[in-house]
Amino acid sequence: MATSPRPDQPPRRPGGSSTAPLHAESVLGGRADSGTGGVPAMGPGVEPAGFEETTQALAPAVGPWADSLGRAGSRAAQTLLVAAVVVGLVWVLLRIKVVVIAAMVALILASAVGPVVKWLERKGWSNLLATLTAFLGILLLLGGVIAGIVFTVRAQWDTLASQASEGWNELRRLLESTPLPVDTASIDAALRRATEFATSGSFAGSALSGLSAAASFITGLVLMIVILFFFLKDGEKMWNFTLRWFRGERRAKLAESVDRGAQVLGGYVRGTALVALIDAVFIGGFLLVFGVPLAIPLAVLVFVTAFIPVVGATIAGIIAALVALVTNGPLIALAVIGWIIVVNQIEGNILQPIIMGRTLSLHALIVLLALTVGTLVGGIFGAILAVPYTAVAWAVIQVWSSRYQVGDDPVLGSDPVNPKDRVESKATMAERWKYQRMRYQQALGGRFGATERDAVRQDDSTDDDAARSAGGGTGSGESARTP
């Protein structure tokens, strides 16, 4: 009489073979019931059935990518793939550079003006009225600056041209009287070639290219104005829509990333604008006192270049000194250089620490590298936007990564990151409470968003509870409602 299979044996397929790999203990131990068609007992020189399959299942898989060279090759392939994706993305962004720059400028302006909109809303203004007020205010400010530059340059251009010619002649005589090996003939030849180019047909072609660039600039300006308006009016709704696609920790980190990014951009623009305004007033007033032509446009140039850290003040100082040298002589030019050095020292040692605090929190080398890359990619706009967006990237990295070991180390020494520069020290108590609520929203019983289906389910559960109460608490909701 056939015995029933033991519980520890797997079921058998027709033909006596097992439907699953044999258990290692049964195979290697050699114990099986011969009457049940199982594995025969092991003996000297006898391999039990299924031994090869079992050893192959238990042995680790070895392939051409399992060794160190294979792993290095797979990592290299992954790196090349990621690099190809990044290069493709950069190529696409460069093709639509006008749109990208317009959006980035609008975002940085919205971060600076956004607190004004919220302040007006707290005062009882409607969202539309507060947005229009802040929007028109920033447009009038920018338009007034540009118009002032254009009209001042046109009014003083003839004076500058005549004085530039006289100043160049004086500078040439000064260079010829010095023992410096300066070839003034080569400089005259270069000026003559520049004049001939300006009167030739090639200059007309360059002018057409300039008109094309001007058209692109106007297109980007109009697009920036439109994007800025919608960022000011519906920026919070847009971000609320984006956050609803995420939950828990990701939602909290995304919200914190945007808050820190807006804090960096807004603080950078407001602080830099105030410092730049002070520099422009000091330098412009000095140029006016000493009768340097184009003092107002040069002051505006100081204001604009102040948004380029490290090198902006140097560029503005060189241009102002050259204008003073050509039009007023070397003594006034030296005085302008000395005054600009004094103003830059006041800015770096007094104004920047007091007004801006630790908004950027970037090393000087990182600032220089960001400026170089931004200038190569986006020109003057890239130079202006590179540093604040690099600071935003650093803040976002701190939000999403917890691998950095904070505090002094017995081997490495003191922590190079100041505690005031850490991202956790820049969030308010209200923001921290908001992030915690996002993290534990579902655990505390809260819903992430009421959809129509959730509302229907809630209504049905309410009806079921009412029906149970009416029916004495017995039976299901549907049975209770059924007559």
Side-chain angles (χ1 to χ4, degrees), residues 371-389:
L371 282 175
T372 304
V373 175
T375 305
L376 293 176
V377 174
I380 182 63
F381 289 101
I384 294 175
L385 300 176
V387 174
Y389 278 102

Side-chain angles (χ1 to χ4, degrees), residues 121-404:
E121 289 179 351
R122 289 195 298 267
K123 294 296 182 180
W125 294 37
S126 64
N127 175 261
L128 181 60
L129 184 59
T131 301
L132 287 175
T133 302
F135 177 72
L136 293 177
I138 190 65
L139 288 185
L140 289 176
L141 178 61
L142 295 177
V145 170
I146 295 174
I149 295 174
V150 172
F151 288 122
T152 306
V153 170
R154 290 185 60 185
Q156 300 185 9
W157 182 256
D158 295 335
T159 303
L160 179 63
S162 60
Q163 291 185 358
S165 178
E166 297 175 0
W168 166 245
N169 294 329
E170 182 180 354
L171 179 61
R172 179 181 177 181
R173 291 192 298 268
L174 179 63
L175 292 175
E176 290 177 350
S177 61
T178 59
L180 297 176
V182 179
D183 189 2
T184 56
S186 299
I187 300 178
D188 290 336
L191 292 175
R192 185 172 59 255
R193 285 194 297 269
T195 304
E196 293 175 355
F197 172 76
T199 58
S200 64
S202 300
F203 181 76
S206 299
L208 293 177
S209 300
L211 290 176
S212 177
S216 299
F217 175 78
I218 294 175
T219 303
L221 180 63
V222 173
L223 183 61
M224 185 272 294
I225 292 174
V226 175
I227 296 175
L228 175 61
F229 175 78
F230 284 108
F231 276 171
L232 291 176
K233 182 179 181 297
D234 298 328
E236 188 173 354
K237 293 180 181 178
M238 295 177 185
W239 187 235
N240 189 359
F241 170 80
T242 304
L243 287 179
R244 286 174 177 267
W245 294 90
F246 303 92
R247 297 183 178 183
E249 185 69 20
R250 289 187 178 180
R251 176 183 288 189
K253 288 187 175 182
L254 283 173
E256 188 174 3
S257 299
V258 172
D259 291 339
R260 297 290 75 75
Q263 184 181 25
V264 170
L265 291 178
Y268 174 80
V269 172
R270 292 188 296 267
T272 305
L274 183 56
V275 173
L277 180 62
I278 296 174
D279 291 348
V281 170
F282 284 172
I283 296 177
F286 185 88
L287 297 177
L288 285 174
V289 169
F290 283 86
V292 178
L294 299 177
I296 301 300
L298 289 174
V300 175
L301 180 64
V302 171
F303 177 83
V304 174
T305 55
F307 285 87
I308 306 176
V310 181
V311 299
T314 304
I315 295 173
I318 291 174
I319 295 175
L322 288 176
V323 173
L325 175 65
V326 171
T327 58
N328 297 80
L331 294 179
I332 301 299
L334 290 175
V336 170
I337 293 175
W339 179 246
I340 290 177
I341 292 174
V342 171
V343 172
N344 288 336
Q345 292 299 318
I346 294 174
E347 172 193 339
N349 298 319
I350 299 177
L351 297 180
Q352 290 278 0
I354 293 177
I355 296 176
M356 295 193 64
R358 311 187 66 89
T359 301
L360 290 180
S361 304
L362 295 176
H363 194 272
L365 179 60
I366 302 299
V367 172
L368 289 175
L369 292 177
L371 282 175
T372 304
V373 175
T375 305
L376 293 176
V377 174
I380 182 63
F381 289 101
I384 294 175
L385 300 176
V387 174
Y389 278 102
T390 302
V392 170
W394 168 236
V396 172
I397 290 174
Q398 292 182 83
V399 171
W400 285 86
S401 177
S402 59
R403 297 180 62 87
Y404 186 81

